[in-house]
Amino acid sequence: MKYTLILPIVIFVLALAIFPLIFSIYMSLSKWNPATQHLKFIAFKNFIDMFNDPRFIHAFKLSFAYVGTVICIELVLGIIIANLLQREIAGKNFLRVAYMLPMLLSPVAISYAWKMILDYKRGPLNYFLGWLGIAPIEWLGKGDTAFWSLVMVDVWQWTPFMIFTILAAFESIPEELLEAAVVDGASHARVFFEITLPTALPIIITVILLRTIDAFKVFDTVYILTGGGPGTATETLNFYIYLKGFRAFNLGYGTAMSWFQLIIIIIMFTYFMKFMRKTGAMR
């Protein structure tokens, strides 16, 4: 009788969490025929096909390049700006609110706004560059510039998240600790690199992990700004999974790629956490 009361919770968890998880594993080992709605078990063929698919390998490498680039830029900017906002500067409160605005906006709205800004013929960015004597740039029309345009939009939107989290970590450090170091003759640079930064490191690592997970899931920006192009120049893994799963209706292959991406991220984070514990940055 006592287990009857928890039965609805068990059914809820099984229906919404366990069953979809198990079904997605089965689907990754199957081939779905959209005409007959039939799932045919093909074991690990989808996973084997991935390594013979040059577009998958390209998308996989591009995703890591994209995530590594945006995280490094956002982290450096976040630390520098958080350090500046920690000081008593004019307009400090206004700047805190202003920096917050980009991450409050919808990624879809931001992507369409940037698409207009980066337009080759009518975009305001090329218009203002023209004032400086710089020729118009095909921001979204060439492979290299399209990749950096995606990076620019991500940095613009998500650097504030880094800033506010790191700023909160900096401000949680006891003032007495910093004042004692200054009284002992330590320079501001030494206080920052030997006290502030190491003390805030656990929170900085956490925010890096959160942003890395989020950056791997990028889709809206790629879909609206470049559509994965030109060619496959900005075709990230998430976008390629969408193309194979929902444009080509190869759901088994798309699910297999999703699982492969998840496993790689889990392995990467596990080694990263072990490394940080080994260096003493985390307990």
Side-chain angles (χ1 to χ4, degrees):
M1 179 63 185
K2 62 181 178 181
Y3 296 113
T4 308
L5 296 175
I6 64 169
L7 191 59
I9 299 296
V10 173
I11 294 172
F12 180 81
V13 171
L14 287 174
L16 294 184
I18 306 298
F19 174 73
L21 187 68
I22 295 171
F23 185 72
S24 71
I25 294 172
Y26 179 70
M27 183 168 275
S28 70
L29 302 172
S30 308
K31 183 176 180 61
W32 181 65
N33 186 337
T36 61
Q37 305 285 315
H38 178 65
L39 269 177
K40 180 184 176 185
F41 184 74
I42 56 173
F44 293 100
K45 187 175 183 306
N46 284 328
F47 291 93
I48 295 168
D49 288 347
M50 273 191 285
F51 297 101
N52 297 317
D53 182 354
R55 280 183 73 177
F56 166 76
I57 294 170
H58 166 75
F60 185 76
K61 290 178 180 174
L62 187 71
S63 289
F64 274 85
Y66 174 80
V67 172
T69 306
V70 298
I71 297 300
C72 287
I73 296 174
E74 290 170 13
L75 179 63
V76 172
L77 288 176
I79 290 174
I80 293 172
I81 298 173
N83 190 34
L84 292 175
L85 288 177
Q86 197 184 7
R87 301 175 186 181
E88 290 301 325
I89 57 173
K92 179 179 175 180
N93 292 331
F94 169 76
L95 289 173
R96 288 188 177 197
V97 176
Y99 275 123
M100 192 188 297
L101 290 176
M103 68 178 181
L104 298 179
L105 299 172
S106 159
V108 174
I110 286 173
S111 300
Y112 276 113
W114 275 99
K115 193 168 187 175
M116 289 188 282
I117 292 169
L118 298 174
D119 187 87
Y120 177 69
K121 292 183 178 176
R122 296 176 293 276
L125 185 55
N126 275 342
Y127 176 76
F128 289 120
L129 287 177
W131 285 7
L132 304 173
I134 300 174
I137 298 172
E138 287 193 51
W139 295 101
L140 304 173
K142 291 184 177 177
D144 292 341
T145 51
F147 175 80
W148 287 105
S149 298
L150 292 177
V151 170
M152 181 165 61
V153 174
D154 195 285
V155 168
W156 179 82
Q157 184 176 17
W158 292 111
T159 298
F161 178 69
M162 286 279 191
I163 294 171
F164 286 104
T165 315
I166 295 171
L167 180 62
F170 286 171
E171 291 188 339
S172 67
I173 300 171
E175 284 287 333
E176 298 79 12
L177 184 63
L178 304 176
E179 288 171 359
V182 173
V183 169
D184 287 343
S187 64
H188 286 293
R190 194 173 175 192
V191 169
F192 178 74
F193 285 108
E194 295 188 10
I195 297 177
T196 306
L197 209 51
T199 309
L201 199 54
I203 295 177
I204 293 175
I205 291 169
T206 305
V207 77
I208 289 172
L209 293 177
L210 291 175
R211 272 301 297 136
T212 303
I213 293 168
D214 196 49
F216 266 113
K217 294 189 293 185
V218 63
F219 177 80
D220 326 54
T221 314
V222 177
Y223 183 82
I224 294 168
L225 279 180
T226 65
T232 58
T234 57
E235 197 172 80
T236 58
L237 188 53
N238 248 15
F239 190 75
Y240 186 51
I241 290 171
Y242 160 75
L243 291 179
K244 296 301 284 187
F246 297 100
R247 290 269 183 94
F249 292 105
N250 194 346
L251 289 176
Y253 190 56
T255 311
M257 287 192 288
S258 300
W259 268 104
F260 183 79
Q261 183 187 29
L262 177 65
I263 291 167
I264 293 296
I265 292 173
I266 291 172
I267 293 172
M268 190 178 70
F269 281 176
T270 304
Y271 275 98
F272 181 71
M273 298 293 279
K274 281 184 179 177
F275 173 75
M276 298 312 292
R277 287 195 185 98
K278 195 174 179 180
T279 57
M282 292 188 75
R283 285 177 286 180

